[in-house]
Amino acid sequence: MSRRLLSGMCRRHKVVKNGEAELMKWEENVRKVVPYTPGEQPRKDNIIKLNTNESPYPPAPGVERKIAELDIDKMRLYPAFPEKTDLAGELADYYHINRDQIFIGVGSDDVLSMAFLTFFQSEKPIFFPDITYSFYDVWADVYRIPYETKVLDENFCIRPEDYVQPNGGVIFPNPNAPTGILMDIKKVEEIIAANRDVVVIVDEAYIDFGGVSALPLIEKYDNLLVVQTFSKSRAMAGMRIGYAMGNPKLIQYLNDVKYSVNSYTMNYTALELGVESVRDEAYFKECCNKIMKTREEAEKELTRLGFTFPKSYSNFIFATHKEVPAQIIFEKLKEHDIYVRHWNKDRIDNYLRITIGTDEQMKALYNALEEYII
């Protein structure tokens, strides 16, 4: 082997070695966060999935009809801006507000993420509950937003007085997740009124299951943003449609940031099918009522089986058993191909969040629980 070839091989080897060293070096400039952990998504047939708060019922019949009518040629084109579409008009009519008071995004997670990026730019910490939707601290970390969590009381309730101090913004779900507890609208307004110098976001993913929305308050408070979703009560989690409602200036700021990141966030199919969901109000209310009725029956059955839980105004129940640890119940149910949600977190590690399914699915749950609880 020639000396020249050998020399070249050595240089290449040295580059590789240096490259490995540099690979570790560049990690110093990587933004590192602990990611959000969603509920399990088993790829199995014939399971009972009660762990991600999806609707047990299909979308409105008009959604299925519309699928057959979609213009396939439009798939090659960029979709229209959401605020210019029929979906924005339908939502505006449904909620009796103007188009310029609505922001539409790819599920409420996208909407909330954009809201964090847009409105929480103060050096002061934002406030949210210590037990709440576990994406909030993830977004705060991703966007380098300082935050403080406010401890729920012994009954898992938000204390409005904890939010009456200087901050960079406030966000909380109502009903809260994963507890399902609804805060009275007067207390919601108390928090908004005490924070007029920052944006307050009320995350209403579960408001359609018996709660009172803060939406009317957007006419009174220009710092209020109300966020809702099609994923739960409208049975369209797979379409990823979420929206925020507030005064036009808030919405314009959101759009400015969104279009600085990605101008075409909503796909044509979601925009078209979302319209049909909003138009069928009768079906929407029917499904919500069925879920609430099944929830009432679940409260009775779970009580009979020895569980306790706060009153839920969502499409799930946050339950703990008097004798059997939640982790054991969680694992036993999986043996029956029944999936519920469990967290290894302080204060809630002995609780299970159980999505309300169909009556048949819930009966299978009760039967499985009876095998090793009673």
Side-chain angles (χ1 to χ4, degrees):
M1 183 178 292
S2 72
R3 184 176 295 176
R4 184 175 182 181
L5 178 59
L6 181 61
S7 174
M9 289 177 66
C10 290
R11 283 197 298 270
R12 287 196 295 273
H13 181 61
K14 187 175 181 180
V15 168
V16 170
K17 290 177 68 175
N18 287 342
E20 290 176 348
E22 290 174 3
L23 182 65
M24 299 303 293
K25 188 70 173 177
W26 61 251
E27 288 187 298
E28 295 178 6
N29 300 315
V30 173
R31 178 161 294 190
K32 304 178 185 71
V33 295
V34 178
Y36 170 75
T37 303
E40 293 179 74
Q41 297 280 15
R43 294 296 182 242
K44 298 169 62 178
D45 295 328
N46 302 315
I47 66 168
I48 297 178
K49 193 165 176 288
L50 305 177
N51 66 337
T52 48
N53 298 340
E54 295 149 320
S55 174
Y57 303 110
V63 173
E64 184 176 3
R65 291 194 297 269
K66 186 66 177 180
I67 290 174
E69 301 171 3
L70 291 176
D71 185 350
I72 194 67
D73 187 55
K74 288 188 177 179
M75 299 294 182
R76 65 182 179 81
L77 304 173
Y78 285 114
F81 291 162
E83 68 271 17
K84 304 294 185 182
T85 63
D86 290 343
L87 179 57
E90 290 292 335
L91 287 169
D93 290 344
Y94 184 83
Y95 290 108
H96 307 292
I97 58 178
N98 298 320
R99 279 175 177 255
D100 61 2
Q101 292 178 283
I102 297 176
F103 173 90
I104 302 174
V106 187
S108 60
D109 287 341
D110 174 55
V111 173
L112 290 166
S113 177
M114 286 293 101
F116 268 63
L117 185 58
T118 304
F119 301 120
F120 295 160
Q121 295 299 305
S122 170
E123 294 181 357
K124 299 175 184 176
I126 64 171
F127 293 164
F128 50 83
D130 66 329
I131 298 172
T132 193
Y133 186 31
S134 50
F135 234 137
Y136 295 163
D137 58 350
V138 174
W139 287 319
D141 287 339
V142 167
Y143 298 132
R144 300 297 188 260
I145 299 167
Y147 67 91
E148 290 182 12
T149 57
K150 298 301 179 180
V151 179
L152 300 180
D153 69 17
E154 65 277 7
N155 297 314
F156 294 132
C157 294
I158 293 173
R159 296 179 290 203
E161 60 269 24
D162 290 344
Y163 297 80
V164 185
Q165 51 186 289
N167 63 74
V170 175
I171 181 169
F172 57 89
N174 197 40
N176 196 8
T179 65
I181 294 174
L182 181 74
M183 181 163 47
D184 184 84
I185 194 64
K186 292 181 180 179
K187 292 185 177 181
V188 172
E189 184 171 6
E190 184 180 332
I191 294 174
I192 301 166
N195 291 281
R196 295 302 302 273
D197 59 334
V198 298
V199 173
V200 177
I201 302 174
V202 182
D203 182 356
E204 294 187 341
Y206 303 99
I207 198 65
D208 296 318
F209 301 108
V212 176
S213 176
L215 180 60
L217 296 177
I218 67 172
E219 303 301 334
K220 184 176 180 180
Y221 298 97
D222 59 7
N223 63 317
L224 171 63
L225 194 72
V226 176
V227 178
Q228 296 189 14
T229 179
F230 279 55
S231 296
K232 316 301 182 185
S233 55
R234 294 193 180 276
M236 294 183 73
M239 279 286 95
R240 312 308 299 130
I241 305 172
Y243 51 104
M245 297 171 285
N247 86 76
K249 183 169 285 189
L250 284 179
I251 301 305
Q252 184 58 56
Y253 282 137
L254 271 174
N255 278 316
D256 288 346
V257 171
K258 180 184 73 170
Y259 293 137
S260 298
V261 175
N262 183 353
S263 295
Y264 302 103
T265 54
M266 296 296 296
N267 68 74
Y268 160 68
T269 305
L271 290 168
E272 291 291 310
L273 301 185
V275 171
E276 300 304 319
S277 176
V278 178
R279 285 176 176 170
D280 199 337
E281 184 176 7
Y283 182 81
F284 164 69
K285 290 183 175 179
E286 176 188 350
C287 288
C288 288
N289 287 333
K290 285 198 293 187
I291 289 169
M292 288 188 284
K293 183 178 179 181
T294 303
R295 184 183 66 200
E296 291 177 5
E297 183 63 25
E299 290 171 347
K300 297 175 184 176
E301 289 295 314
L302 291 174
T303 298
R304 176 181 66 83
L305 291 165
F307 287 89
T308 59
F309 40 83
K311 175 63 179 175
S312 176
Y313 285 86
S314 58
N315 67 337
F316 58 82
I317 292 176
F318 190 61
T320 184
H321 196 267
K322 297 175 182 178
E323 299 175 359
V324 186
Q327 179 70 43
I328 292 177
I329 298 174
F330 173 72
E331 297 296 343
K332 289 291 185 180
L333 287 175
K334 286 173 67 173
E335 293 176 7
H336 290 263
D337 285 333
I338 299 175
Y339 290 78
V340 297
R341 192 76 191 271
H342 177 254
W343 289 268
N344 289 310
K345 291 185 176 182
D346 289 344
R347 298 184 69 193
I348 63 171
D349 59 349
N350 202 33
Y351 282 80
L352 299 171
R353 192 192 67 189
I354 304 169
T355 302
I356 302 300
T358 63
D359 290 335
E360 293 75 18
Q361 289 173 329
M362 299 306 288
K363 186 174 181 180
L365 170 70
Y366 311 143
N367 289 340
L369 290 171
E370 285 178 341
E371 286 190 21
Y372 51 88
I373 286 181
I374 294 182

